[in-house]
Each structure stands twice: as structure tokens, then as C-alpha cells.
Amino acid sequence: MSRSRRVVLAVVAAGCAQSLAAQPFGLGRAATPAEIAAWDVDVAPDGSGLPPGQGGASRGEALFADFCAGCHGDFAEGVGRWPGLIGGYGTLDSRDPVKTVGSFWPYAPTLWDYVNRSMPYGNAQTLAPDDVYALVAYILSANDLVGPDTHLTEKTLPNVVMPNRHGFARDDRGKAERHLWRAEPCMTNCKPEVEIRMRATDLDVTPK
Amino acid sequence: MSDAAPPSRRAVLTGAAAAMVAGRARADDTLITQVQPWSRNLGDPVAAAPYGLPTPHEFDVVRRTVDWLTADAYSSVSFTPIHALDGTITPQGCAFERHHSGAIDLRKEDYRLMVMGDVARPLVFTYADLERFPRDTRVAFCECAANSGMEWRGAQLNGAQYSHGMIHNMEYTGVPLRLLLEEAGYDTSRRWVYVEGADAASNGRSIPIKKALDDVLVAFKANGEALRREHGYPVRLVVPGFEGNLWIKWLRRIEVRDTPVHSREETSKYTDTLADGISRQFTFAMDAKSVITAPSPQAPVRHGDGPLVISGLAWSGRGAITRVDVTLDGGQNWKVARLAAPPAPMALCRFYLDVAWDGAEMLLQSRAIDDTGYVQPTKAQLHAARGMNSTYHNNGIQTWLMRADGSVENVEVS
């Protein structure tokens, strides 16, 4: 959701930061406010873009049973290969990280954004804002990140601190993997021997 | 037609010698000595197929899936049969697909693209509007960040199609995104654009505006014709060199912003978890990578020893390939491969090594180098740099074991 229309208009008036004052080709037409509102639904980590609304974990549990449990399980534990949404704390630096909403997602408003836009799977973009708040409250309570009696609103949801909030870093391959930019690799007698350590046919998981 | 199977080189040589010495001749090939039906009768009339399909004889050169990978077939992936293709351009009909909520059917007439956010003029474009902007045409590879992800911890899937087939390479025609941003009067102080599709997954990603202004295309043609539904018909984003998840299909909205959205697709997915549990985010560029497409497990060698063509693909999301090395002995000694054409930046490059195979077992690998000086690493080097859990962006060197009988297997070597 754009948050600086006023700033932009001020800049236009000042005539400095706009790419071009006039439309180069005059193609397209102005988007109406209702059209922008209909599609401009993304939610940022600070909660900007969240619509007004409220929902509680207990109502969310009932909604979850109706709309989500078929794939994610009654307790958000996941069914079959569908993703579990709970657990996994403290596993991210282990041999087998378990990445769930609770253990991995850095921002609670992103959960609202994803549920609102992409769920329920196969019937997306049909939930009312209050239903999304309720579902988010339930999923967060199933992760013990809010209490079972919690009601969330557009004001309170951004305040929920996710455990992996500081678990992400920007791409630093250019520095951390600088040694892979090495110009001239070895061409002859590069290693004394070669040993086969693993075979795909031992695993035997390839489609026939 | 078993008598028409190609003889081995040794058989040909000894046969030729024997024929000269003893005057013995092999049986005549009736495909030559007898008039065949196709030489006698009429073939198909023109336009027998108004839009032609591949010959039925190539029925097995198709996209394939690994059913256990995903929970269902709508949020799933299919793989390009790279083991059976040559050259560099991927035919649309067998180019890999990745959907998060299925491939939707969206008519051109129903297509709308909104450019909004921090712009002077939020605009809506129709498909017909897009056709009136100056357009570009270029070739680019699209590789899923998860391509070869199943191979991260070691050899798993026995075929180049499955291990490296989440890639395709097409010639795209479309409008530079820069022109649409300028048309809307984007705020030049802003650093990001958020791009989003019209499908139920509403897949959305944040892209640095620097990239958006540089070489991103809003594309409506691929390989000269309309996009296929499964690749985003009628309009998709082309983001050269960057991971495939950014190449938004059924593109419907472009929002100019100051910060990334941190959407689900750029936090909980498509991030690279390192050994200390910290995850790299916005790892856009696909590093230099290559794979021998034939011989490979699905493309074994049937002809015996003698002349053998080793064929493969190399690419880099950071620039153009400058060299590809091939080893036959698991990385002890390398030879410089022949590039089929001058490599283009952020496009697939075909390489060949023509060898006289002695019939002994080989451990085949290829190694790509790009014009930034980056050398494709071994998986051991990647594990040392990233730990064991960073399954996206696996560009490690691939090893094929080719046995004396010409069969090939995916293996991991020291």
C-alpha cells in the first residue's frame, strides 16, 4: 500500500524528484481510487496497508477448522506434504531446520498479507478482514506467540514480535563468497584421486 | 530393424578390413535397396496441423514431474527435458513450469496492468496499450532458485531433467519496464518496485528499482509467439539473470515503493539459510552454472567407443559465459570446451567437447566461468561457504558417472 501520495504530490509541485512531468506516450488511463484500493492490498512489516478490523483466536480456531485444517491440520501441524505452521523453534541452525510461521517468519503482518491474498487455497481472496485477523490470531496463538484469548487489530498485529525477527540478512555473496571469483582455476593434476561417495541409484527416488 | 543398429567403431574398422581381405560384404541395407513407403506415397498436405506439434517419434521429450516433491499438482513444478534438447532456445511446449496456484486462463481482452504507488499518475494499461510502446527483443534464461535444490546434500535425482531442468531459455519481446514507470511518472527517489500476478497465489516480489529501470521487460511474446498459459499468458515479467520467482506471470500490478514488502515469497521462501541459522534475503542473481546434458542418466551412450559428443549448457545471471571446462576424470584434469556461439549475457550458452572415447569408465563434469571472473564452484566449496541447509541457489558442479556400457548415473565425488 503506497503511503506517500501526499509526499509525491508535493514533490511534483516542486518539480524535482519526478521522472518526467508529462506522459511520454500518453498511453493508458488514470487508475480510479476504487481500482487502486481493490488491488493495492499488500501489507508491509510495519503494518502499513492493514485495513481496519479485529479478530480473536477462538473464532479463528473455528474458521481454521473450516477453511484450513484440511491441509494444515486441526492444530496447524500440517497434513501429509502440506506445510505445518507451528513448532520448529531453535532448529534453524540445526541439521534439519523446521521452518514454520512460528519459527521462521520474521513479521506478523506478512502472515495477514499472505492469508488475505493467497488463502484459502483454491478459494483465495474471499475472506473478510475480520476473518483474516481471527485466523492470524489463531495461528499465532497455536505458536504460543499470543494468548488464546487474544484479539488482534490493525493496531496491535504489528506489535507481535516474531522469534526470527532478526534472522535475515541481505545478500552478501559478493563479499562472503569472494573467493569464488578466482579467474584461473586448476586445469591439470588438480587432485590425486577421485572417490565416488554417493549414488542417486542408491536412493532410488527418481520417477521411472 | 535390429540389423540397422550402428556398429561400434572397432566393428566397423575390423569389418572394413575383413571385407577388403576376404571380399566379404555385410548384408545390404534394405532401407536403401528397397523403395520405402515414404518415398513412394504422398505425405501430409499443407496445414494438416494448423499449429504443428512435435513428431510422435519424439513422444518422450516432454516435461516431467517428481510427484513426491509437492503436496499437489497445482502448487508444483515440472521439469524441462534438457537431456534431449540441443542448441540454446527452449521450445515453449516443454519449458518447465512452476505455479503456486495453478496456471490460470486469462484472455488478452480481460488483461489489465496497473502501475501505481509512488508515481505522479497511477495508470491502467490494457494489452493493446502495451503493444503501442516501443519494444525490445532479447534472449534470457529463467532459472528457478530451487533448480538443483534436491541435489544440495548429494546426488539424488537420476537425470539432468530432474537435477537441472527448472530452467528455460527463450527469446522475449516486450516493453521495457522503464518506459511504463516513466509513463506513470515514478518518484526517482524510490528504491523498490513490487510486482504481482493476477493468479490466486498473488505471488508478489520486491525488485530494486535500479534493476527495474535497467533491463526488465514486460513481455508478451516468447520465441516469436504468444506466451503459453503456463508461462503467464498474456503478459509476464522478464528479469534477466534473477531467480525465476521474480518473473511474475499474469503480471497485473507494479507498485513503486521506498522499501521492499517482505512478502511471504521473499521471507519464508526463496531465502538461503546459512549454517548459523541466519537466512540470506533478496539473493536475486543466479550464479554461474553449467551441466552436461548428454551423456546423462536419461541420455546414455548406445554407440560404443570412438567418437563421442559431450554436449552441455552454461549460464550466468551476472553476465556472459566466457569459458566452460570439461573433465572426464572427476576433476583431476580439465579441457576447455568449444562454445557453439558467442555467449550472450544472462542467456544459455551451448558447449561441446568432442572426444574419442576409449570405452573406459568416465566421471564427467563441467565448470562455467563468467565475465565477472566467477568460477562455478564444487558443492564442497558451497557447503563450506553456506552450510548444509541453503538449498536454494545450488550452482555446484554436477558429476555423471559414465560406465563402460554407456549407461550414466548421477554421483557425488570427493
Side-chain angles (χ1 to χ4, degrees), chain B residues 379-394:
Chain B
K379 277 192 227 175
Q381 285 177 300
L382 289 175
H383 292 159
R386 302 178 190 172
M388 294 306 290
N389 293 327
S390 175
T391 52
Y392 291 112
H393 297 278
N394 175 15

Side-chain angles (χ1 to χ4, degrees), chain A residues 18 31 43 76 143 145 169 176 182 208:
Chain A
Q18 230 46 62
V43 177
N143 277 286
L145 297 173
R182 60 199 171 111
K208 301 302 178 198

Side-chain angles (χ1 to χ4, degrees), chain A residues 1-5 7-9 11-12 16-32 35-36 38-45 48 79 81-83 91-97 99 104-107 110 113-114 117-119 121-122 124-125 164 166-174 176-208, chain B residues 65-66 68-72 74-75 100-101 112 114 116-125 129 132-134 153-158 162 181-183 185-188 190 192 194 196 199-202 252-253 255 257-258 260-264 267-268 271 273 275-285 287 318 323 325 329-336 363 367 369 372-375 377 381 385-386 388-389 393 401 409-414:
Chain A
M1 174 98 48
S2 60
R3 53 195 169 76
S4 51
R5 182 64 27 79
V7 173
V8 172
L9 292 176
V11 168
V12 172
C16 59
Q18 230 46 62
S19 66
L20 290 162
Q23 260 182 280
F25 296 97
L27 293 170
R29 62 162 177 83
T32 70
E35 289 170 342
I36 294 174
W39 279 7
D40 185 13
V41 296
D42 55 272
V43 177
S48 60
V79 174
R81 298 199 64 82
W82 297 103
T91 65
L92 297 180
D93 60 354
S94 74
R95 168 91 187 164
D96 290 303
K99 297 180 177 181
F104 196 53
W105 289 43
Y107 306 112
T110 305
D113 185 38
Y114 184 64
R117 288 202 280 153
S118 307
M119 293 290 128
Y121 187 66
Q125 303 176 31
N164 198 37
H166 301 294
F168 291 84
R170 291 295 168 95
D171 183 8
D172 65 345
R173 284 175 291 172
E177 300 178 2
R178 187 69 224 160
H179 57 287
L180 300 179
W181 277 264
R182 60 199 171 111
E184 190 47 56
C186 174
M187 293 298 284
T188 54
N189 300 318
C190 302
K191 48 189 178 184
E193 58 182 4
V194 178
E195 176 195 345
I196 294 175
R197 292 188 166 161
M198 192 175 178
R199 294 167 178 267
T201 49
D202 289 344
L203 272 177
D204 195 25
V205 292
T206 307
K208 301 302 178 198
Chain B
T65 59
V66 178
W68 54 263
L69 265 184
T70 53
D72 77 355
Y74 298 90
S75 181
H100 295 255
S101 284
R112 301 289 184 274
M114 188 184 292
M116 40 72 68
D118 294 337
V119 299
R121 301 171 290 275
L123 293 175
V124 173
F125 299 107
D129 291 332
R132 299 174 66 189
F133 281 95
R153 289 189 176 185
Q156 181 163 198
L157 288 166
N158 205 30
Y162 303 113
L181 293 170
E182 288 174 354
E183 192 73 3
Y186 72 97
D187 181 342
T188 56
R190 294 299 185 245
W192 293 82
Y194 181 69
E196 178 188 272
D199 58 321
S202 186
R252 83 168 189 185
R253 188 165 72 97
E255 176 181 342
R257 310 171 49 90
D258 201 30
V261 169
H262 293 276
S263 72
R264 182 255 195 185
T267 51
S268 80
T271 50
T273 303
D276 60 3
I278 299 293
S279 300
R280 278 192 189 130
Q281 200 181 9
F282 305 119
T283 42
F284 298 127
D287 285 319
R318 299 187 191 270
R323 197 178 96 198
D325 302 328
D329 56 14
Q332 292 173 297
N333 299 284
W334 297 81
K335 295 174 179 172
V336 177
L363 286 167
R367 175 175 69 192
I369 304 175
T372 70
Y374 182 94
V375 181
Q381 285 177 300
R386 302 178 190 172
M388 294 306 290
N389 293 327
H393 297 278
L401 164 66
E409 185 184 353
N410 179 7
V411 299
E412 211 64 53
V413 297
S414 57

Side-chain angles (χ1 to χ4, degrees), chain B residues 225-346:
Chain B
E225 62 180 355
L227 296 164
R228 298 288 167 89
R229 174 196 298 201
E230 60 269 33
H231 300 130
Y233 178 88
V235 176
R236 86 171 306 168
L237 207 59
V238 168
V239 192
F242 280 21
E243 64 187 15
N245 187 247
L246 297 162
W247 294 46
I248 303 297
K249 299 187 286 191
W250 316 290
L251 178 71
R252 83 168 189 185
R253 188 165 72 97
I254 297 160
E255 176 181 342
V256 177
R257 310 171 49 90
D258 201 30
T259 56
V261 169
H262 293 276
S263 72
R264 182 255 195 185
E265 297 290 313
E266 53 201 23
T267 51
S268 80
K269 302 290 179 184
Y270 301 98
T271 50
D272 307 76
T273 303
L274 305 178
D276 60 3
I278 299 293
S279 300
R280 278 192 189 130
Q281 200 181 9
F282 305 119
T283 42
F284 298 127
M286 301 306 293
D287 285 319
K289 183 169 172 181
S290 67
V291 65
I292 292 170
T293 51
S296 64
Q298 299 159 287
V301 171
R302 310 272 192 212
H303 55 59
D305 60 6
L308 168 67
V309 175
I310 295 172
S311 177
L313 291 168
W315 61 95
S316 170
R318 299 187 191 270
I321 292 296
T322 53
R323 197 178 96 198
V324 180
D325 302 328
V326 171
T327 174
L328 312 179
D329 56 14
Q332 292 173 297
N333 299 284
W334 297 81
K335 295 174 179 172
V336 177
R338 177 167 58 87
L339 306 184
M346 299 157 194

Side-chain angles (χ1 to χ4, degrees), chain B residues 356-379:
Chain B
W357 182 38
D358 62 5
E361 189 173 284
M362 296 194 287
L363 286 167
L364 303 173
Q365 299 177 333
S366 61
R367 175 175 69 192
I369 304 175
D370 72 16
D371 60 8
T372 70
Y374 182 94
V375 181
Q376 183 183 0
T378 62
K379 277 192 227 175

